[in-house]
Amino acid sequence: MKITLAHSAGFCYGVRRAVKIAEDLANEGVSAVMLGPIIHNDAEIQRLGALGMETVDDPQEIPQGTAVVLRSHGETRETFSFLKTKGLEAVDTTCPNVSRIHRLVQQAEAEARRVIIIGVPNHPEVCATASWCKDPLVFQSADELCAYFSQHPDQAKKPFTMVSQTTSTQNLWRFCVENAKKLCTNIKFFDTICNATYTRQAEAQRLAQENDAVIVIGGRNSANTKQLYQLCLASCSQTIWVENAEELDVSQFAPGACVAITAGASTPAWIIKEVFDKMNTENMEIEESFAELLEKSIKTLHTGEKVTGIVTAITPTEIYVDLGTKHAGYIPVDELTDDPTVKAEDMVKVGQEIEVVVVRVNDAEGVVSLSKKRLDSVKSWDDVEQACEDHTTIEGVVTEENKGGVVVSVKGVRVFVPASQTGIPRDQPMTELLKQKVKLRITEVNRARRRVVGSIRAVSAAERAEKAAEVWNNIEEGKHYHGVVKSLTSYGAFVDIGGVDGMVHVSELSWSRIKHPSEVVNPGDEVDVYVISFDPERKKISLGMKDHSQDPWAMFTEQYHVDDTANVRIVKLMTFGAFAEVVPGVDGLIHISQLADHRIDKPADVVAEGDMVDVKITEIDYDRKKISLSIRALLDEAQRTDAGEEDAVVASSDGETTEVAPDFAEEATEE
């Protein structure tokens, strides 16, 4: 037969830690007892009992001066209070994952949120968790959760916090979350399923699909072993649950069958080995591989050590890593990367192998804090030094601003960029760069002092020079560009057309007469321009914005003719008259003699720039494109009309008529 051992079989770090603490106390001769079985495996509890570590079920039976070893599943708040009152020393072997759940439910209680626990109601872990908060709800399935809220619809809007028993399955948790989201309007979710449990279950399911039979080893009262058995049975009909080698009947397996072996978190290595020995009499190769696995599981980690593990879970705050040791590894999100714009899910995936460095080892809790960004930082120093030598461009994220400039994180290496090298004008704040991804060049590296200086402006200048060269290589008269207005002067606007600035003269900004470019554009505006002329030697480009497809003179001649009346805008005053805009781009002259029906000294006596006046078109020079306008002509017409009305025959009440002659007509003639 081909026998495959699950890498995750046997003690998890929490159980191993609890057993190790109990063993050490027994070997040191400390007077101590276990308050209930510290793990769910009768054979291991009997072994510890043989070492002198007895089990006591009732805390009242514990004599004074005796240390009390508390189970890995956690203990109730009441038990801790009782032991403290009696002055008994509590040796807490609670699994760190369970301790985290206790903190979460206490926090929920402080926030006046009711706790929902997904798990087996009478399980020691669930009972302990429930004691650390007020009036919790415990559901063993999604159906139970839905039934409760159907019977208590008034609870839907109340605040809840939902956690899970560490040995639950992801499927059950997912179903409960999906239903809770539909039923509750104010609920927080914390996926507290143990990562070791998740890894063990995933591996067991895979082995069940790949093999002819599966042996699940573990105590009958072990919840996680029960979950393993059920998951494997769903994929492999020949799944067998045994507590030890004595229960195993090897004859039930067909010759040449592929058999996988897995074990619950409370199953000690010696029981697993007994099962191996019984499965294969020629088991030297198996014994060696098992010994290697066991040695790896008890490997000691040291701060600063580089290790490799497998990502088992990703949460909003931490990334859990299976190091294959007795410790549970985790990477805080802020130790994953210095780039605040990157999400953890985009950097790592569950099942991915990852290399990290050990930051802190906590043997008491069986956890180890890891960092990826610190390892990346060490590797990045070489990249930064190489970039400085080769004058190459690298990318980083601006993480902070100070008086002298900004700090850019380049793969974990802090690079200082002086204010003069940021590319930001002096009158603008550098805060706009914060959390932005930028390109820069390294100008100085002092590894001994851990000092690195860079320049963002150098990259911008190089990119601009490259774009400018491309523009000059392809520029031609009449070519259109989409540009950005950079600055304004009294005589025009400078427009960046891609690395090169060209000028749009004020007369080329609009067909209408304007006094200043700001009447048409502002800095930062995106505009379409075309090349009027260019001088490669002097590096000057003249641009235009006016749309020449619409000829203003043609528009004027289509709309107006001689003797037509138009409403025009006075745009400029001269000593000899006033220019008025008839249509945008076409001006006409109102001679000083045509501004009024009487003599005036200067145009400003009767009109001002910006005034809208009615004029008569008296002459159009089509060849020279000039127009003569007159206000006086309209006034004369109005006077003649009034005079004509005064000459009208007026009928009297007795039928006689009287003719009135206009006296001013003679006066006008005399003048």
Side-chain angles (χ1 to χ4, degrees):
M1 286 183 291
K2 179 183 177 182
I3 303 172
T4 303
L5 170 66
H7 291 288
S8 56
F11 280 176
C12 66
Y13 66 90
V15 171
R16 183 178 296 108
R17 170 175 167 269
V19 171
K20 182 69 166 55
I21 290 174
E23 282 181 340
D24 290 345
L25 289 174
N27 293 332
E28 292 169 6
V30 177
S31 177
V33 296
M34 297 183 293
L35 182 57
I38 60 170
I39 65 171
H40 281 165
N41 189 280
D42 293 340
E44 186 66 9
I45 295 301
Q46 291 172 11
R47 186 185 72 84
L48 291 173
L51 294 176
M53 187 63 62
E54 297 183 1
T55 302
V56 176
D57 295 325
D58 187 353
Q60 298 283 355
E61 301 175 3
I62 303 173
Q64 290 294 327
T66 303
V68 184
V69 181
L70 303 180
R71 69 181 81 202
S72 60
H73 298 102
E75 270 297 347
T76 64
R77 179 155 47 183
E78 293 75 21
T79 298
F80 276 93
S81 298
F82 175 81
L83 296 177
K84 184 177 181 180
T85 302
K86 293 295 184 180
L88 296 173
E89 178 188 357
V91 181
D92 190 4
T93 71
T94 303
C95 171
N97 288 329
V98 177
S99 296
R100 174 174 175 257
I101 303 176
H102 293 177
R103 292 193 295 271
L104 289 173
V105 298
Q106 288 180 78
Q107 180 183 346
E109 181 180 299
E111 296 174 354
R113 307 181 74 87
R114 194 173 183 185
V115 174
I116 297 175
I117 304 172
I118 304 301
V120 181
N122 60 351
H123 191 279
E125 179 190 319
V126 175
C127 293
T129 299
S131 73
W132 290 95
C133 56
K134 293 180 181 178
D135 194 24
L137 297 170
V138 181
F139 302 121
Q140 198 165 347
S141 67
D143 291 340
E144 289 183 9
L145 184 146
C146 294
Y148 173 83
F149 282 100
S150 296
Q151 297 169 10
H152 303 84
D154 57 309
Q155 298 289 309
K157 295 184 179 180
K158 292 185 178 181
F160 287 94
T161 290
M162 194 164 90
V163 297
S164 172
Q165 184 177 340
T166 58
T167 53
S168 185
T169 64
Q170 284 293 338
N171 282 341
L172 172 59
W173 172 254
R174 186 174 67 254
F175 292 147
C176 290
V177 169
E178 291 174 355
N179 283 280
K181 284 181 178 179
K182 299 174 183 177
L183 298 168
C184 305
T185 59
N186 184 358
I187 185 168
K188 291 182 179 180
F189 301 96
F190 293 94
D191 182 355
T192 52
I193 296 175
C194 174
N195 292 298
T197 298
Y198 172 78
T199 302
R200 190 189 312 273
Q201 292 175 350
E203 185 181 21
Q205 285 181 298
R206 178 179 60 80
L207 291 174
Q209 294 169 357
E210 297 173 352
N211 289 270
D212 302 316
V214 179
I215 301 172
V216 179
I217 312 170
R220 300 293 178 184
N221 55 349
S222 169
N224 71 82
T225 304
K226 181 179 180 181
Q227 295 284 10
L228 276 182
Y229 172 72
Q230 292 175 341
L231 288 171
C232 291
L233 186 61
S235 299
C236 180
S237 59
Q238 193 175 8
T239 298
I240 302 163
W241 183 358
V242 297
E243 285 195 346
N244 49 53
E246 294 178 2
E247 295 183 2
L248 181 63
D249 181 8
V250 180
S251 63
Q252 62 187 308
F253 301 110
C258 296
V259 181
I261 299 178
T262 187
S266 300
T267 307
W270 60 271
I271 292 181
I272 300 175
K273 187 176 183 302
E274 285 182 353
V275 173
F276 266 120
D277 292 344
K278 192 168 184 178
M279 284 295 296
N280 195 329
T281 54
E282 298 178 0
N283 59 7
M284 280 301 297
E285 183 178 348
I286 296 177
E287 286 183 0
E288 290 176 358
S289 63
F290 183 80
E292 290 173 0
L293 184 64
L294 185 61
E295 181 181 356
K296 183 180 178 183
S297 71
I298 60 175
K299 177 185 175 183
T300 301
L301 298 175
H302 302 281
T303 301
E305 181 181 357
K306 286 192 291 186
V307 293
T308 301
I310 303 296
V311 176
T312 58
I314 301 172
T315 73
T317 58
E318 298 168 332
I319 295 88
Y320 291 94
V321 180
D322 179 9
L323 301 174
T325 68
K326 64 180 181 180
H327 296 89
Y330 71 94
I331 309 172
V333 169
D334 57 1
E335 288 293 335
L336 186 64
T337 175
D338 271 331
D339 188 346
T341 63
V342 176
K343 295 181 179 179
E345 296 83 356
D346 297 332
M347 286 195 64
V348 293
K349 304 294 182 184
V350 173
Q352 173 185 335
E353 185 175 84
I354 186 171
E355 188 177 14
V356 290
V357 64
V358 176
V359 176
R360 184 173 61 89
V361 179
N362 189 333
D363 287 319
E365 294 188 358
V367 296
V368 55
S369 177
L370 308 168
S371 175
K372 183 178 185 298
K373 75 175 185 181
R374 298 191 192 190
L375 182 62
D376 291 341
S377 176
V378 173
K379 294 180 179 179
S380 297
W381 272 98
D382 294 336
D383 296 338
V384 168
E385 288 181 334
Q386 193 65 43
C388 184
E389 293 178 6
D390 299 342
H391 303 288
T392 54
T393 299
I394 57 178
E395 287 189 349
V397 176
V398 180
T399 57
E400 60 182 274
E401 174 192 6
N402 54 43
K403 293 182 180 179
V406 297
V407 175
V408 181
S409 175
V410 179
K411 298 180 180 178
V413 178
R414 287 168 55 88
V415 180
F416 175 69
V417 178
S420 61
Q421 298 301 313
T422 60
I424 302 295
R426 291 184 179 180
D427 57 343
Q428 294 184 21
M430 294 182 289
T431 51
E432 63 183 69
L433 287 175
L434 289 177
K435 297 184 180 181
Q436 297 297 314
K437 184 175 287 186
V438 296
K439 295 180 179 179
L440 68 160
R441 284 188 180 172
I442 304 301
T443 57
E444 177 187 342
V445 178
N446 188 325
R447 197 159 187 171
R449 297 179 57 192
R450 301 188 68 80
R451 172 180 168 82
V452 184
V453 181
S455 172
I456 298 173
R457 193 179 71 173
V459 176
S460 302
E463 290 180 346
R464 185 174 176 83
E466 185 178 343
K467 292 179 180 178
E470 184 179 350
V471 170
W472 284 112
N473 289 335
N474 299 287
I475 196 170
E476 57 185 28
E477 291 185 7
K479 188 171 184 176
H480 286 255
Y481 290 93
H482 186 74
V484 178
V485 179
K486 303 297 289 185
S487 61
L488 303 179
T489 66
S490 59
Y491 52 84
F494 287 92
V495 178
D496 180 0
I497 58 174
V500 178
D501 287 350
M503 193 196 76
V504 183
H505 191 269
V506 66
S507 62
E508 291 294 332
L509 284 169
S510 172
W511 286 110
S512 299
R513 188 189 297 270
I514 59 174
K515 290 184 177 181
H516 194 272
S518 59
E519 296 178 36
V520 180
V521 293
N522 290 297
D525 288 354
E526 294 186 6
V527 294
D528 290 317
V529 294
Y530 54 88
V531 179
I532 296 176
S533 63
F534 60 94
D535 186 341
E537 294 183 0
R538 299 173 62 191
K539 300 297 181 183
K540 290 188 177 181
I541 302 175
S542 177
L543 303 172
M545 274 181 56
K546 295 191 296 188
D547 185 1
H548 285 276
S549 64
Q550 296 183 353
D551 185 356
W553 180 258
M555 294 174 60
F556 165 75
T557 55
E558 289 179 5
Q559 186 176 353
Y560 294 103
H561 303 87
V562 175
D563 292 335
D564 285 351
T565 299
N567 185 253
V568 300
R569 179 172 64 90
I570 305 298
V571 294
K572 191 173 184 180
L573 300 181
M574 307 294 289
T575 56
F576 53 83
F579 284 97
E581 182 183 67
V582 184
V583 297
V586 177
D587 295 345
L589 173 66
I590 310 174
H591 192 269
I592 190 171
S593 63
Q594 300 299 313
L595 283 168
D597 58 1
H598 57 278
R599 188 183 303 278
I600 59 174
D601 293 331
K602 55 185 181 298
D605 292 341
V606 290
V607 292
E609 290 185 8
D611 286 354
M612 299 297 297
V613 297
D614 289 331
V615 297
K616 183 175 182 179
I617 300 174
T618 58
E619 183 180 352
I620 300 175
D621 187 336
Y622 291 94
D623 295 332
R624 299 170 63 190
K625 295 184 178 181
K626 291 189 176 182
I627 307 168
S628 296
L629 307 173
S630 175
I631 296 176
R632 179 177 177 178
L634 293 181
L635 296 175
D636 289 346
E637 289 180 1
Q639 289 173 349
R640 285 194 296 271
T641 300
D642 291 342
E645 290 178 355
E646 291 180 3
D647 286 338
V649 176
V650 180
S652 64
S653 59
D654 57 2
E656 296 182 357
T657 61
T658 304
E659 186 173 330
V660 181
D663 297 333
F664 78 87
E666 295 179 2
E667 295 176 0
T669 302
E670 291 175 1
E671 291 181 359

